[in-house]
Amino acid sequence: MAKVIKKKKFLCRDELEQMDKPALIDKVLQLEAHNQQLKQILEKKMSTDKGDTANSSRKFDFTKCHKRHILLKFYYLGWDFQGFASQEDSLNTIEYHLFNALMKSCLIENRESSNYHRCGRTDKGVSAFSQVISLDIRSSLKPEDQYNISNELLYCKILNRLLPKTIRCISWCPVSSETSARFDCKWRKYKYYFPRGNLNIEAMDEAAKLLIGSHDFRNFCKMDVANGVINFQRTILDAAVACTVKNNQNITTGYDMCELTIRSNAFLWHQIRCIMGILFLVGRHQEEIKIVSDLLDIEKCPRKPQYNLALHIPLNLFCCEYDSTDWFHDVLELEKVVKDLQEEWCYASVKATMTKDMLDNLRSLFSDEMGFPEYQSNCLLQGVEPKVYKPLVERETCESLEDRIEHYTKKQRIKLD
């Protein structure tokens, strides 16, 4: 068992000079967001010091309210956000917008007193179709009347008026006060969407099936030893790769949309993106199907070989499953949610169709002997790829788990019980 001791890390001038332009831009944006937070804290403190009695008199009195514990389900398109979890140096996270809406609407007093848990913590750019949180929330009903859900506050409607357009509450469910969105989740299902391109989907599916079962996935994740994670044993319940949307029902094309569907009770940091990075190499025939079994064999491969992550944008938390949940949907509010999503689909579909027509026009410039290139999925591996491919087993490897544990223990970042 590892205990985490967090220390603030400051970048020196040499480190800043080595950063590329996008990384420097991200750093500047983080500092701007941090400064904005500091300004808000100072303004709030100055207002308090001046004894703003007018604001005090208008403050919502939570002591006169009833509360209930609920599960709240919502979706978000994560492409333009910095991830789900709140961050000190960014206001553009899902949790920031969510708690901003919850407190503005006086549904909760603050995060600390709300008995809050989240089902999954998605990274920057990752979406969710069915994220779930649990919390204590203001109720219009007395505890003995809370079974009459039809007379309860319209939680989804209230929050959706305050949330960004790409974050929407779908439904809520009354549960006991002990229920946790994180610890009571039976399993989580993720999907990763990608075009067929020149990939061998059957080989990718066969390789994905090798992931099913309990394994040590240290070679399929980003090891977060600095935060006390030293156990990488996880159980994959299902994993499959399949074509789900054909561009032309009569023939197979590189524009067919495919997906990895993977289900487990828990995942590691970047685990699915690492898995997709390997599956893309299998689909290109750059690696054999058995590479998955080789990487799961810790005695054979004790150190993770260096390889590129799959892009974050196609990944989403698709489903979270709980026991005995009776979700309540506001049909009128759902119609507005559908309208918002259809608008998103419209813009994206029009752009995709226009781009596809351009590609079809270019096809006539290629002879039958040359063939038309199929590079649709090549952009989904991050980083620079070498011109000459080097097999994973021949590549340089990362530090071993044991070396990382020793390193962070010496630096007093973690303490082992």
Side-chain angles (χ1 to χ4, degrees):
M1 186 69 175
K3 293 182 180 179
V4 184
I5 304 173
K6 292 188 176 181
K7 292 184 178 180
K8 188 71 174 177
K9 186 180 185 300
F10 296 95
L11 295 175
C12 64
R13 184 182 184 87
D14 290 341
E15 290 175 309
L16 289 171
E17 288 177 347
Q18 291 175 8
M19 295 170 70
D20 57 16
K21 185 176 179 181
L24 285 170
I25 292 173
D26 286 343
K27 189 65 180 176
V28 171
L29 292 174
Q30 289 175 357
L31 292 172
E32 289 287 340
H34 190 59
N35 286 338
Q36 183 64 29
Q37 283 185 321
L38 289 175
K39 288 180 181 178
Q40 291 176 351
I41 292 170
L42 287 172
E43 289 173 358
K44 185 176 180 181
K45 187 176 186 305
M46 290 173 64
S47 176
T48 303
D49 291 343
K50 289 178 180 179
D52 193 343
T53 56
N55 287 337
S56 298
S57 63
R58 291 195 299 268
K59 188 175 180 181
F60 194 88
D61 189 357
F62 282 91
T63 62
K64 298 180 179 179
C65 300
H66 301 294
K67 288 185 179 181
R68 71 185 311 158
H69 193 63
I70 69 169
L71 294 178
L72 184 65
K73 183 185 293 185
F74 59 100
Y75 80 76
Y76 51 86
L77 303 177
W79 309 316
D80 297 324
F81 296 100
Q82 295 295 313
F84 182 84
S86 296
Q87 301 171 25
E88 290 183 2
D89 51 8
S90 177
L91 302 180
N92 192 29
T93 65
I94 307 298
E95 271 189 347
Y96 171 82
H97 292 293
L98 180 60
F99 277 98
N100 186 52
L102 284 165
M103 289 189 288
K104 270 189 176 180
S105 58
C106 296
L107 290 177
I108 65 169
E109 187 170 6
N110 52 55
R111 176 171 175 162
E112 292 72 26
S113 64
S114 65
N115 190 19
Y116 167 75
H117 285 105
R118 60 195 174 215
C119 178
R121 173 174 173 163
T122 55
D123 293 328
K124 174 182 176 181
V126 177
S127 300
F129 292 171
S130 184
Q131 175 69 278
V132 176
I133 65 171
S134 58
L135 77 169
D136 295 337
I137 199 165
R138 178 165 61 90
S139 172
S140 64
L141 304 173
K142 296 178 180 179
E144 60 269 23
D145 297 329
Q146 287 183 353
Y147 64 89
N148 190 3
I149 293 177
S150 60
N151 292 329
E152 185 54 281
L153 294 172
L154 300 176
Y155 295 124
C156 294
K157 181 177 181 178
I158 293 170
L159 290 172
N160 287 343
R161 297 301 172 271
L162 297 168
L163 287 167
K165 199 171 183 179
T166 49
I167 305 175
R168 283 290 178 264
C169 291
I170 304 170
S171 58
W172 67 277
C173 173
V175 290
S176 67
S177 58
E178 296 81 20
T179 301
S180 164
R182 177 185 176 188
F183 298 109
D184 290 313
C185 182
K186 293 172 60 180
W187 47 258
R188 298 152 174 88
K189 180 190 291 185
Y190 281 81
K191 287 193 176 187
Y192 191 98
Y193 298 85
F194 61 96
R196 183 190 296 273
N198 56 4
L199 298 171
N200 184 334
I201 302 303
E202 291 73 22
M204 294 175 70
D205 181 54
E206 191 175 341
K209 294 289 192 291
L210 299 175
L211 298 165
I212 298 174
S214 297
H215 306 283
D216 189 317
F217 284 94
R218 68 180 67 179
N219 291 327
F220 289 90
C221 71
K222 185 172 181 178
M223 289 196 290
D224 197 17
V225 177
N227 284 319
V229 180
I230 58 175
N231 179 13
F232 298 91
Q233 193 80 17
R234 296 293 185 274
T235 301
I236 300 297
L237 302 173
D238 296 302
V241 177
C243 174
T244 55
V245 180
K246 290 185 69 67
N247 180 69
N248 187 321
Q249 293 300 322
N250 299 319
I251 59 174
T252 295
T253 77
Y255 301 98
D256 296 341
M257 290 304 298
C258 307
E259 63 186 45
L260 164 73
T261 304
I262 188 165
R263 186 168 64 96
S264 174
N265 58 348
F267 290 94
L268 295 161
W269 190 17
H270 287 175
Q271 183 177 358
I272 300 173
R273 291 172 62 191
C274 284
I275 287 171
M276 280 306 306
I278 299 299
L279 293 182
F280 280 141
L281 299 179
V282 172
R284 295 177 181 180
H285 298 292
Q286 291 175 313
E287 294 289 342
E288 298 292 330
I289 293 172
K290 70 180 186 70
I291 189 62
V292 173
S293 298
D294 291 341
L295 292 175
L296 290 173
D297 188 341
I298 303 307
E299 293 185 2
K300 187 175 183 178
C301 296
R303 297 169 180 257
K304 176 186 174 184
Q306 295 180 3
Y307 58 85
N308 295 335
L309 274 177
L311 191 68
H312 52 274
I313 291 175
L315 179 61
N316 72 83
L317 174 57
F318 189 77
C319 182
C320 307
E321 183 67 18
Y322 295 86
D323 280 326
S324 303
T325 47
D326 187 13
W327 294 99
F328 180 74
H329 307 273
D330 181 342
V331 177
L332 293 178
E333 185 60 26
L334 277 181
E335 287 184 6
K336 296 176 182 177
V337 170
V338 168
K339 179 178 179 293
D340 290 336
L341 270 179
Q342 286 177 340
E343 185 177 305
E344 288 287 336
W345 171 86
C346 176
Y347 294 145
S349 185
V350 167
K351 290 178 183 178
T353 302
M354 291 172 65
T355 308
K356 179 63 167 53
D357 282 349
M358 295 177 191
L359 287 165
D360 289 342
N361 287 333
L362 290 174
R363 183 182 291 272
S364 62
L365 303 178
F366 288 77
S367 64
D368 292 338
E369 292 77 16
M370 291 175 61
F372 194 66
E374 302 282 2
Y375 299 137
Q376 294 91 335
S377 59
N378 286 25
C379 61
L380 296 181
L381 273 180
Q382 290 187 332
V384 179
E385 297 187 52
K387 293 182 180 179
V388 179
Y389 184 78
K390 190 173 186 179
L392 289 179
V393 294
E394 299 176 11
R395 296 187 188 183
E396 293 185 12
T397 58
C398 304
E399 281 185 297
S400 68
L401 174 59
E402 293 72 22
D403 288 342
R404 293 190 183 207
I405 292 174
E406 182 180 0
H407 171 78
Y408 288 111
T409 303
K410 285 181 178 178
K411 284 187 170 288
Q412 298 184 340
R413 291 283 301 277
I414 62 173
K415 286 184 179 180
L416 298 180
D417 292 340

